[in-house]
PDB file of all heavy atoms in Angstrom:
ATOM      1  N   ASP I   2       8.116 -44.036-236.893  1.00  0.00           N
ATOM      2  CA  ASP I   2       7.211 -45.096-236.485  1.00  0.00           C
ATOM      3  C   ASP I   2       7.986 -46.197-235.793  1.00  0.00           C
ATOM      4  O   ASP I   2       7.458 -46.833-234.870  1.00  0.00           O
ATOM      5  CB  ASP I   2       6.520 -45.678-237.710  1.00  0.00           C
ATOM      6  CG  ASP I   2       5.296 -44.882-238.051  1.00  0.00           C
ATOM      7  OD1 ASP I   2       4.797 -44.176-237.159  1.00  0.00           O
ATOM      8  OD2 ASP I   2       4.815 -45.050-239.153  1.00  0.00           O
ATOM      9  N   ALA I   3       9.170 -46.419-236.251  1.00  0.00           N
ATOM     10  CA  ALA I   3       9.983 -47.475-235.665  1.00  0.00           C
ATOM     11  C   ALA I   3      10.353 -47.083-234.244  1.00  0.00           C
ATOM     12  O   ALA I   3      10.358 -47.940-233.338  1.00  0.00           O
ATOM     13  CB  ALA I   3      11.225 -47.698-236.480  1.00  0.00           C
ATOM     14  N   ILE I   4      10.616 -45.847-233.968  1.00  0.00           N
ATOM     15  CA  ILE I   4      10.998 -45.385-232.635  1.00  0.00           C
ATOM     16  C   ILE I   4       9.764 -45.433-231.739  1.00  0.00           C
ATOM     17  O   ILE I   4       9.843 -45.863-230.603  1.00  0.00           O
ATOM     18  CB  ILE I   4      11.600 -43.978-232.695  1.00  0.00           C
ATOM     19  CG1 ILE I   4      12.911 -44.063-233.423  1.00  0.00           C
ATOM     20  CG2 ILE I   4      11.800 -43.435-231.316  1.00  0.00           C
ATOM     21  CD1 ILE I   4      13.603 -42.769-233.572  1.00  0.00           C
ATOM     22  N   GLU I   5       8.679 -45.016-232.281  1.00  0.00           N
ATOM     23  CA  GLU I   5       7.442 -45.034-231.486  1.00  0.00           C
ATOM     24  C   GLU I   5       7.062 -46.481-231.176  1.00  0.00           C
ATOM     25  O   GLU I   5       6.596 -46.768-230.081  1.00  0.00           O
ATOM     26  CB  GLU I   5       6.308 -44.341-232.260  1.00  0.00           C
ATOM     27  CG  GLU I   5       6.407 -42.864-232.174  1.00  0.00           C
ATOM     28  CD  GLU I   5       5.249 -42.174-232.858  1.00  0.00           C
ATOM     29  OE1 GLU I   5       4.191 -42.796-233.097  1.00  0.00           O
ATOM     30  OE2 GLU I   5       5.398 -41.003-233.086  1.00  0.00           O
ATOM     31  N   ASN I   6       7.247 -47.362-232.151  1.00  0.00           N
ATOM     32  CA  ASN I   6       6.949 -48.772-231.929  1.00  0.00           C
ATOM     33  C   ASN I   6       7.881 -49.335-230.848  1.00  0.00           C
ATOM     34  O   ASN I   6       7.475 -50.146-230.008  1.00  0.00           O
ATOM     35  CB  ASN I   6       7.122 -49.589-233.195  1.00  0.00           C
ATOM     36  CG  ASN I   6       5.923 -49.420-234.116  1.00  0.00           C
ATOM     37  OD1 ASN I   6       4.872 -48.995-233.683  1.00  0.00           O
ATOM     38  ND2 ASN I   6       6.107 -49.747-235.384  1.00  0.00           N
ATOM     39  N   MET I   7       9.100 -48.935-230.899  1.00  0.00           N
ATOM     40  CA  MET I   7      10.083 -49.395-229.945  1.00  0.00           C
ATOM     41  C   MET I   7       9.735 -48.862-228.550  1.00  0.00           C
ATOM     42  O   MET I   7       9.803 -49.604-227.569  1.00  0.00           O
ATOM     43  CB  MET I   7      11.464 -48.919-230.362  1.00  0.00           C
ATOM     44  CG  MET I   7      12.501 -49.750-229.721  1.00  0.00           C
ATOM     45  SD  MET I   7      13.970 -48.986-229.926  1.00  0.00           S
ATOM     46  CE  MET I   7      15.118 -49.236-230.697  1.00  0.00           C
ATOM     47  N   ILE I   8       9.336 -47.615-228.473  1.00  0.00           N
ATOM     48  CA  ILE I   8       8.970 -46.999-227.192  1.00  0.00           C
ATOM     49  C   ILE I   8       7.703 -47.685-226.674  1.00  0.00           C
ATOM     50  O   ILE I   8       7.596 -48.002-225.487  1.00  0.00           O
ATOM     51  CB  ILE I   8       8.767 -45.477-227.345  1.00  0.00           C
ATOM     52  CG1 ILE I   8      10.100 -44.823-227.610  1.00  0.00           C
ATOM     53  CG2 ILE I   8       8.126 -44.893-226.113  1.00  0.00           C
ATOM     54  CD1 ILE I   8      10.030 -43.350-227.896  1.00  0.00           C
ATOM     55  N   THR I   9       6.778 -47.944-227.576  1.00  0.00           N
ATOM     56  CA  THR I   9       5.525 -48.597-227.194  1.00  0.00           C
ATOM     57  C   THR I   9       5.832 -49.998-226.673  1.00  0.00           C
ATOM     58  O   THR I   9       5.288 -50.421-225.660  1.00  0.00           O
ATOM     59  CB  THR I   9       4.568 -48.647-228.406  1.00  0.00           C
ATOM     60  OG1 THR I   9       4.327 -47.343-228.860  1.00  0.00           O
ATOM     61  CG2 THR I   9       3.252 -49.266-228.029  1.00  0.00           C
ATOM     62  N   ARG I  10       6.721 -50.726-227.393  1.00  0.00           N
ATOM     63  CA  ARG I  10       7.085 -52.075-226.955  1.00  0.00           C
ATOM     64  C   ARG I  10       7.815 -52.028-225.612  1.00  0.00           C
ATOM     65  O   ARG I  10       7.607 -52.887-224.755  1.00  0.00           O
ATOM     66  CB  ARG I  10       7.986 -52.749-227.993  1.00  0.00           C
ATOM     67  CG  ARG I  10       7.152 -53.567-228.945  1.00  0.00           C
ATOM     68  CD  ARG I  10       7.992 -54.393-229.877  1.00  0.00           C
ATOM     69  NE  ARG I  10       8.415 -53.520-230.955  1.00  0.00           N
ATOM     70  CZ  ARG I  10       9.542 -53.539-231.581  1.00  0.00           C
ATOM     71  NH1 ARG I  10      10.447 -54.436-231.279  1.00  0.00           N
ATOM     72  NH2 ARG I  10       9.821 -52.725-232.532  1.00  0.00           N
ATOM     73  N   MET I  11       8.665 -51.016-225.460  1.00  0.00           N
ATOM     74  CA  MET I  11       9.402 -50.885-224.206  1.00  0.00           C
ATOM     75  C   MET I  11       8.428 -50.572-223.060  1.00  0.00           C
ATOM     76  O   MET I  11       8.569 -51.117-221.956  1.00  0.00           O
ATOM     77  CB  MET I  11      10.467 -49.791-224.316  1.00  0.00           C
ATOM     78  CG  MET I  11      11.672 -50.263-225.081  1.00  0.00           C
ATOM     79  SD  MET I  11      12.881 -48.978-225.369  1.00  0.00           S
ATOM     80  CE  MET I  11      13.468 -48.594-223.787  1.00  0.00           C
ATOM     81  N   ASN I  12       7.434 -49.718-223.356  1.00  0.00           N
ATOM     82  CA  ASN I  12       6.417 -49.395-222.338  1.00  0.00           C
ATOM     83  C   ASN I  12       5.604 -50.649-222.004  1.00  0.00           C
ATOM     84  O   ASN I  12       5.318 -50.921-220.839  1.00  0.00           O
ATOM     85  CB  ASN I  12       5.491 -48.283-222.809  1.00  0.00           C
ATOM     86  CG  ASN I  12       6.118 -46.912-222.660  1.00  0.00           C
ATOM     87  OD1 ASN I  12       7.046 -46.735-221.888  1.00  0.00           O
ATOM     88  ND2 ASN I  12       5.624 -45.943-223.403  1.00  0.00           N
ATOM     89  N   GLU I  13       5.227 -51.393-223.028  1.00  0.00           N
ATOM     90  CA  GLU I  13       4.442 -52.609-222.817  1.00  0.00           C
ATOM     91  C   GLU I  13       5.253 -53.641-222.037  1.00  0.00           C
ATOM     92  O   GLU I  13       4.730 -54.312-221.147  1.00  0.00           O
ATOM     93  CB  GLU I  13       3.995 -53.198-224.158  1.00  0.00           C
ATOM     94  CG  GLU I  13       2.909 -52.409-224.826  1.00  0.00           C
ATOM     95  CD  GLU I  13       2.578 -52.916-226.231  1.00  0.00           C
ATOM     96  OE1 GLU I  13       3.220 -53.889-226.704  1.00  0.00           O
ATOM     97  OE2 GLU I  13       1.666 -52.351-226.822  1.00  0.00           O
ATOM     98  N   GLN I  14       6.535 -53.733-222.379  1.00  0.00           N
ATOM     99  CA  GLN I  14       7.418 -54.667-221.685  1.00  0.00           C
ATOM    100  C   GLN I  14       7.580 -54.224-220.241  1.00  0.00           C
ATOM    101  O   GLN I  14       7.558 -55.051-219.326  1.00  0.00           O
ATOM    102  CB  GLN I  14       8.776 -54.745-222.376  1.00  0.00           C
ATOM    103  CG  GLN I  14       9.655 -55.818-221.799  1.00  0.00           C
ATOM    104  CD  GLN I  14      11.005 -55.902-222.527  1.00  0.00           C
ATOM    105  OE1 GLN I  14      11.262 -55.182-223.503  1.00  0.00           O
ATOM    106  NE2 GLN I  14      11.834 -56.780-222.056  1.00  0.00           N
ATOM    107  N   ALA I  15       7.719 -52.917-220.008  1.00  0.00           N
ATOM    108  CA  ALA I  15       7.867 -52.391-218.658  1.00  0.00           C
ATOM    109  C   ALA I  15       6.591 -52.645-217.854  1.00  0.00           C
ATOM    110  O   ALA I  15       6.641 -53.037-216.682  1.00  0.00           O
ATOM    111  CB  ALA I  15       8.201 -50.910-218.695  1.00  0.00           C
ATOM    112  N   ILE I  16       5.440 -52.418-218.517  1.00  0.00           N
ATOM    113  CA  ILE I  16       4.153 -52.658-217.845  1.00  0.00           C
ATOM    114  C   ILE I  16       4.040 -54.151-217.519  1.00  0.00           C
ATOM    115  O   ILE I  16       3.623 -54.535-216.422  1.00  0.00           O
ATOM    116  CB  ILE I  16       2.980 -52.169-218.733  1.00  0.00           C
ATOM    117  CG1 ILE I  16       2.967 -50.655-218.791  1.00  0.00           C
ATOM    118  CG2 ILE I  16       1.650 -52.695-218.215  1.00  0.00           C
ATOM    119  CD1 ILE I  16       1.959 -50.072-219.794  1.00  0.00           C
ATOM    120  N   SER I  17       4.425 -54.996-218.470  1.00  0.00           N
ATOM    121  CA  SER I  17       4.356 -56.442-218.283  1.00  0.00           C
ATOM    122  C   SER I  17       5.295 -56.872-217.150  1.00  0.00           C
ATOM    123  O   SER I  17       4.932 -57.703-216.311  1.00  0.00           O
ATOM    124  CB  SER I  17       4.729 -57.134-219.581  1.00  0.00           C
ATOM    125  OG  SER I  17       4.738 -58.530-219.406  1.00  0.00           O
ATOM    126  N   GLU I  18       6.512 -56.318-217.095  1.00  0.00           N
ATOM    127  CA  GLU I  18       7.466 -56.655-216.041  1.00  0.00           C
ATOM    128  C   GLU I  18       6.960 -56.177-214.679  1.00  0.00           C
ATOM    129  O   GLU I  18       7.119 -56.859-213.667  1.00  0.00           O
ATOM    130  CB  GLU I  18       8.842 -56.048-216.341  1.00  0.00           C
ATOM    131  CG  GLU I  18       9.585 -56.779-217.429  1.00  0.00           C
ATOM    132  CD  GLU I  18      10.917 -56.119-217.769  1.00  0.00           C
ATOM    133  OE1 GLU I  18      11.335 -55.172-217.042  1.00  0.00           O
ATOM    134  OE2 GLU I  18      11.550 -56.560-218.732  1.00  0.00           O
ATOM    135  N   ARG I  19       6.356 -54.955-214.668  1.00  0.00           N
ATOM    136  CA  ARG I  19       5.798 -54.422-213.417  1.00  0.00           C
ATOM    137  C   ARG I  19       4.678 -55.326-212.905  1.00  0.00           C
ATOM    138  O   ARG I  19       4.591 -55.602-211.722  1.00  0.00           O
ATOM    139  CB  ARG I  19       5.246 -53.006-213.648  1.00  0.00           C
ATOM    140  CG  ARG I  19       6.167 -51.942-213.141  1.00  0.00           C
ATOM    141  CD  ARG I  19       5.480 -50.607-213.075  1.00  0.00           C
ATOM    142  NE  ARG I  19       4.618 -50.392-214.226  1.00  0.00           N
ATOM    143  CZ  ARG I  19       4.716 -49.393-215.076  1.00  0.00           C
ATOM    144  NH1 ARG I  19       5.593 -48.462-214.879  1.00  0.00           N
ATOM    145  NH2 ARG I  19       3.925 -49.278-216.101  1.00  0.00           N
ATOM    146  N   GLU I  20       3.815 -55.762-213.827  1.00  0.00           N
ATOM    147  CA  GLU I  20       2.697 -56.638-213.460  1.00  0.00           C
ATOM    148  C   GLU I  20       3.235 -57.963-212.924  1.00  0.00           C
ATOM    149  O   GLU I  20       2.729 -58.476-211.924  1.00  0.00           O
ATOM    150  CB  GLU I  20       1.784 -56.888-214.664  1.00  0.00           C
ATOM    151  CG  GLU I  20       0.867 -55.736-215.013  1.00  0.00           C
ATOM    152  CD  GLU I  20      -0.114 -55.403-213.910  1.00  0.00           C
ATOM    153  OE1 GLU I  20      -0.709 -56.330-213.288  1.00  0.00           O
ATOM    154  OE2 GLU I  20      -0.277 -54.205-213.608  1.00  0.00           O
TER     155      GLU I  20
END
Side-chain angles (χ1 to χ4, degrees):
D2 274 340
I4 293 179
E5 281 184 19
N6 281 342
M7 200 193 251
I8 291 175
T9 302
R10 266 187 278 145
M11 283 175 66
N12 281 339
E13 287 174 359
Q14 187 179 357
I16 290 172
S17 177
E18 285 177 8
R19 258 194 320 238
E20 284 298 317

